Amino acid sequence: VPTTTLKMSSDIISRANYFKRHIVSGEWTYSLQTSATSRHLFSPLVFSYEYMRSSTAAFDSVLQVNPYLYYTMQDQFVPKMQYTYTYTSPTNLLNPIRWQTTISEAGNLLSLGYMAAGKKWGDLGKEMFNNPYAQFVKVETDLVKTWRLTEHSTLVGHAALGAIWAYGNSSKAPYGEQFYVGGANSVRAFTVRSIGPGHYHNDASANIYYLDQTGDLMFQANLEYRPRLFGNLYGALFLDAGNVWLMHGDDMHPHGKFGEGGFFQSLAVGTGFGLRYDLDFLVLRLDFGVGIHYPYDTGKSSYYNISKFKDAFAVHFAVGYPF
């Protein structure tokens, strides 16, 4: 049965000792299941209104020396239109796949309206609700393949690609729309936003890595073996790889542009093990990730270039499977 969904939400992003950011968002979505395997979601309006509620002197000093971060963290209005297609294999297949692709755009209809009023397409600073609005096109695709090895064990492969292109009224994509890797559902040997873009790394700003280590392009690949240990307790052995890159060069992120250096050398790689407890209605997950390769120069010439074990070891507790 086709459905229509209306959503409103309010979120506060609080980074201790740095800033508190408020995001008011809404969504209007039509959902249509055209067959047992295909589902379509069309959102004629998805919007978010982002503004900084407060910031500290330490954070303001970071913004002053980082124009890229300063621009992406500005107050702004993001009006989007979005379409998502999801394909799920028939339930009777032994080795099913799930493929989901999302295409979204922001600000183009507003810019056409401004053009009708005499403004040029490439003019910056056009506003909606007294704030500059974002303009971009974004594409994301995600593929999961499952191989059932025995009655109670599976091997799961996952790959994801993403790209966002800002233009017109925006020189950079909004911070909340940019890609990042690391964390419980990504390259689990590293914490969120601690890798990339590309070969970029700056020891001096390691304490604020989660602020500026994002990108316009993203690639991620995972392989996970999930055997049942006993009862509802399952184990996991995994291998993760991925990174983000900038589409255009940036003086604040040297070697962060896609294509600089070898592609495989620019991938962060980690392995690890985990436990999953299946409660039927949800899964509790604990993962221990161990780094294998940093995408930047650590002073070690081998592919295994982790200088200290503790620097590339992460523990994640989460609800649900990572993919």
Side-chain angles (χ1 to χ4, degrees):
V1 177
T3 61
T4 302
T5 302
L6 294 174
K7 288 183 182 180
M8 288 291 292
S9 66
S10 178
D11 300 279
I12 295 177
I13 302 174
S14 181
R15 295 294 188 186
N17 303 319
Y18 287 104
F19 67 86
K20 184 173 290 186
R21 190 170 178 83
H22 201 167
I23 302 174
V24 178
S25 57
E27 178 183 331
W28 177 13
T29 300
Y30 297 106
S31 174
L32 181 63
Q33 187 91 25
T34 55
S35 69
T37 58
S38 294
R39 186 185 186 202
H40 306 265
L41 297 176
F42 174 61
S43 303
L45 178 61
V46 180
F47 72 88
S48 63
Y49 181 68
E50 305 181 15
Y51 60 95
M52 195 70 69
R53 294 190 62 181
S54 61
S55 62
T56 65
F59 180 68
D60 293 339
S61 65
V62 172
L63 293 183
Q64 290 176 3
V65 298
N66 194 329
Y68 175 85
L69 188 61
Y70 175 80
Y71 182 86
T72 59
M73 296 292 284
Q74 282 184 322
D75 295 351
Q76 59 188 309
F77 179 64
V78 185
K80 290 198 303 182
M81 186 182 298
Q82 184 169 287
Y83 169 74
T84 299
Y85 172 74
T86 304
Y87 173 82
T88 306
S89 294
T91 55
N92 60 345
L93 283 189
L94 184 63
N95 303 315
I97 67 168
R98 182 180 184 274
W99 175 53
Q100 180 171 289
T101 295
T102 298
I103 301 174
S104 56
E105 65 82 27
N108 293 295
L109 292 179
L110 283 177
S111 290
L112 288 174
Y114 268 101
M115 286 183 67
K119 292 280 189 177
K120 293 183 179 180
W121 179 269
D123 287 347
L124 295 174
K126 298 188 288 288
E127 294 184 347
M128 183 72 173
F129 302 129
N130 296 321
N131 269 306
Y133 63 84
Q135 190 173 0
F136 60 82
V137 170
K138 185 178 183 180
V139 179
E140 303 169 82
T141 188
D142 191 278
L143 177 67
V144 178
K145 171 71 173 179
T146 301
W147 294 271
R148 187 165 298 281
L149 305 179
T150 67
E151 183 179 359
H152 298 294
S153 67
T154 57
L155 180 67
V156 183
H158 170 251
L161 292 168
I164 185 169
W165 177 39
Y167 55 89
N169 203 44
S170 299
S171 59
K172 302 290 184 183
Y175 184 74
E177 295 288 343
Q178 295 171 10
F179 298 101
Y180 62 88
V181 293
N185 299 324
S186 182
V187 187
R188 285 162 281 183
F190 309 100
T191 52
V192 174
R193 295 182 177 89
S194 63
I195 295 297
H199 299 281
Y200 167 76
H201 180 69
N202 184 2
D203 283 326
S205 62
N207 62 324
I208 57 166
Y209 61 82
Y210 54 78
L211 294 178
D212 67 344
Q213 294 198 246
T214 56
D216 308 311
L217 305 170
M218 180 272 296
F219 171 77
Q220 179 184 322
N222 314 81
L223 189 65
E224 182 168 290
Y225 172 57
R226 300 170 180 170
R228 186 170 78 167
L229 302 179
F230 55 85
N232 290 336
L233 183 66
Y234 291 78
L237 295 173
F238 55 82
L239 180 66
D240 303 325
N243 204 344
V244 295
W245 297 265
L246 299 176
M247 191 174 293
H248 307 289
D250 185 335
D251 293 338
M252 297 303 300
H253 300 88
H255 312 298
K257 183 181 177 182
F258 182 77
E260 294 185 4
F263 172 75
F264 291 102
Q265 290 293 326
S266 69
L267 294 178
V269 180
T271 186
F273 62 94
L275 296 172
R276 289 92 172 88
Y277 190 76
D278 191 346
L279 297 173
D280 293 330
F281 60 94
L282 61 83
V283 174
L284 301 179
R285 172 164 58 97
L286 184 64
D287 284 331
F288 301 87
V290 181
I292 295 176
H293 176 73
Y294 274 123
Y296 54 83
D297 183 12
T298 64
K300 298 183 69 173
S301 58
S302 61
Y303 187 80
Y304 178 79
N305 61 354
I306 308 299
S307 54
K308 297 179 180 178
F309 178 79
K310 67 178 181 64
D311 293 338
F313 178 79
V315 180
H316 304 283
F317 176 75
V319 175
Y321 287 107
F323 42 82

